Amino acid sequence: MPLPTSPVIRRVRLGAELRQLRRREALTLEQVCDRLGWASTSKLSRIELGQSRPDLADVLDLLDIYKVPTPARDALIVIARDAATSRGWWKTLGEMSERQRTYAELEAGAADIVEYQPTVVPGLLQTPEYARVLVAAGAQLTPEVDVEAEVRARALRQEVLRRAYPPRYTAVLAAAVCEPGDLPVAVWREQLRHLVAVTGLSHVTVRLLPPGAAGGGLHPLTPYSCYAFPDPADPRTVMIEALTTDVRLATVLDVDRYERMTEALLAAALSAEETVTALARRAGE
């Protein structure tokens, strides 16, 4: 059975490959678009930047212009099909917001996911009640959000952890995540018990940073997620979560920095066994 792929990452990979081929042929964006009869360079620019879902016919035309031989051509066609695919469970729920869809597409094709959260439980580990409270709070800033649709979509995203070939998933949580804050006590307690239960999956690890732990002197203030993919040529990616939008990083330099940060946080965190004990104890208080 072929491993799943991430459409958003395959688009980035395809764009980088096509840009390299164009430059190898010493062609400008304008020259390529003139040969194809495209009205402007914006279409090609968006394909090369991985910002649009490519049409396979357009990719075939580009491969012809760049004189790409077999088997390199066949390999790029596979990537293009992955990048353009409309298959996948995230497509069954058109009401999923664009932000959540981006995370869903990254998660769908990941082999390894590591998430750091300083204040809330990550989306892949949230109970429906906990998610509903968070989404409803966020809806105060974005009233157009359909709270129930977002909660259902989050539940669909979580199926990635229970599929036949799930990613290895690690969540690094700051101590504040285990505090109830403004949550109803029943919701908070159920969420902590769910965290304990989900660690029963062999591919899921939760690590808790004890109070005062600073990850070797570094304590990120914003949540982030790191993704690696089955095909080592697909770019490792970091998503930084912000209030109204998210930042995606894919350069080797940026990703390496976040991976070093993650190593420092893991070194400062409780072990997986100590974390389960701490979460279970906290849920019983």
Side-chain angles (χ1 to χ4, degrees):
M1 177 178 177
L3 291 175
T5 58
S6 170
V8 66
I9 291 302
R10 296 300 250 185
R11 290 197 291 271
V12 173
R13 167 89 177 276
L14 176 67
E17 297 274 6
L18 292 174
R19 182 170 58 252
Q20 186 176 36
L21 289 168
R22 176 175 60 79
R23 290 173 175 172
R24 187 194 67 186
E25 295 297 312
L27 294 170
T28 65
L29 291 170
E30 291 79 5
Q31 288 171 328
V32 173
C33 291
D34 284 344
R35 293 188 186 185
L36 292 174
W38 292 357
S40 71
T41 61
S42 61
K43 179 177 179 179
L44 180 54
S45 179
R46 288 180 60 81
I47 292 175
E48 290 190 356
L49 292 173
Q51 295 176 344
S52 63
R53 197 177 298 274
D55 183 278
L56 184 57
D58 291 337
V59 174
L60 293 175
D61 288 341
L62 290 169
L63 296 180
D64 289 340
I65 288 177
Y66 303 150
K67 306 180 183 68
V68 180
T70 304
R73 181 185 180 90
D74 294 339
L76 286 171
I77 289 173
V78 170
I79 296 173
R81 284 175 175 155
D82 291 340
T85 184
S86 60
R87 293 172 293 135
W89 54 262
W90 60 90
K91 273 294 189 181
T92 67
L93 194 64
E95 58 194 354
M96 184 181 288
S97 69
E98 190 62 32
R99 288 185 75 180
Q100 190 157 200
R101 186 183 300 275
T102 297
Y103 282 95
E105 290 192 346
L106 286 166
E107 293 156 358
D112 287 277
I113 303 172
V114 181
E115 297 198 272
Y116 164 74
Q117 268 287 354
T119 55
V120 301
V121 173
L124 288 180
L125 302 181
Q126 293 173 4
T127 65
E129 292 75 15
Y130 184 95
R132 186 171 290 107
V133 172
L134 294 186
V135 175
Q140 297 178 34
L141 293 176
T142 52
E144 69 276 10
V145 168
D146 184 331
V147 174
E148 292 305 315
E150 284 292 284
V151 172
R152 291 193 298 271
R154 197 158 302 187
L156 280 179
R157 279 176 55 201
Q158 293 172 0
E159 293 180 10
V160 74
L161 296 180
R162 299 182 184 277
R163 72 187 184 197
Y165 296 94
R168 289 179 294 273
Y169 178 84
T170 301
V172 185
L173 309 179
V177 174
C178 295
E179 298 304 318
D182 295 329
L183 288 170
V185 173
V187 172
W188 166 69
R189 183 172 286 116
E190 181 189 22
Q191 178 62 71
L192 291 185
R193 289 172 176 164
H194 177 68
L195 287 177
V196 172
V198 79
T199 60
L201 299 173
S202 61
H203 54 282
V204 174
T205 301
V206 179
R207 301 282 300 277
L208 186 63
L209 287 162
L218 300 173
H219 196 170
L221 299 178
T222 54
Y224 68 86
S225 306
C226 301
Y227 304 88
F229 303 93
D231 187 340
D234 285 347
R236 294 171 298 147
T237 299
V238 172
M239 290 292 291
I240 304 172
E241 186 177 336
L243 182 62
T244 59
T245 189
D246 302 316
V247 178
R248 186 172 72 217
L249 305 175
T251 68
V252 173
L253 180 62
D254 286 332
V255 173
D256 282 349
R257 285 173 174 168
Y258 273 87
E259 289 183 346
R260 289 197 298 272
M261 171 74 73
T262 300
E263 290 173 2
L265 291 171
L266 288 170
L270 299 177
S271 69
E273 294 76 14
E274 292 169 332
T275 294
V276 170
T277 300
L279 289 171
R281 183 176 63 248
R282 193 75 177 95
E285 292 176 357

